[in-house]
Amino acid sequence: MADKSIKQPENVPGKYYVDQTCVPCNDCVKEAPNLLEYSADETHIFFKNQPKNQAEEKQAKAAMAMCPVDAIGDDGD
């Protein structure tokens, strides 16, 4: 389960976030390319945008569900 106390600093504010347990496997970026992005040094992924519609909300939930290390959370502030 993702931990909002260790969010990646690049996450935009909002409900969804990636925490520091991320191992950039790329699967979530494929699932939600408009929402997620690699860090500049490619060591982790973060939310560059929050979902703005139902389709993007579905993508965010799908990315969260398939994360192998549970680094994506949906209880951010």
Side-chain angles (χ1 to χ4, degrees):
M1 182 173 178
D3 183 347
K4 68 180 179 179
S5 71
I6 56 169
K7 292 179 189 176
Q8 297 293 356
E10 299 95 334
N11 287 304
V12 295
K15 179 179 178 179
Y16 290 96
Y17 64 92
V18 179
D19 75 14
Q20 294 177 14
T21 63
C22 175
V23 293
C25 66
N26 196 45
D27 292 339
C28 65
V29 174
K30 289 179 186 175
E31 199 65 50
N34 295 332
L35 304 175
L36 295 160
E37 183 175 296
Y38 274 97
S39 62
D41 62 4
E42 297 187 352
T43 60
H44 61 274
I45 291 166
F46 63 95
F47 270 86
K48 65 179 177 179
N49 295 305
Q50 292 290 325
K52 294 179 182 73
N53 56 50
Q54 194 170 21
E56 288 181 345
E57 183 79 22
K58 186 176 178 180
Q59 291 174 358
K61 288 180 186 287
M64 184 171 60
M66 57 71 48
C67 180
V69 295
D70 294 326
I72 300 174
D74 70 350
D75 59 343
D77 321 305

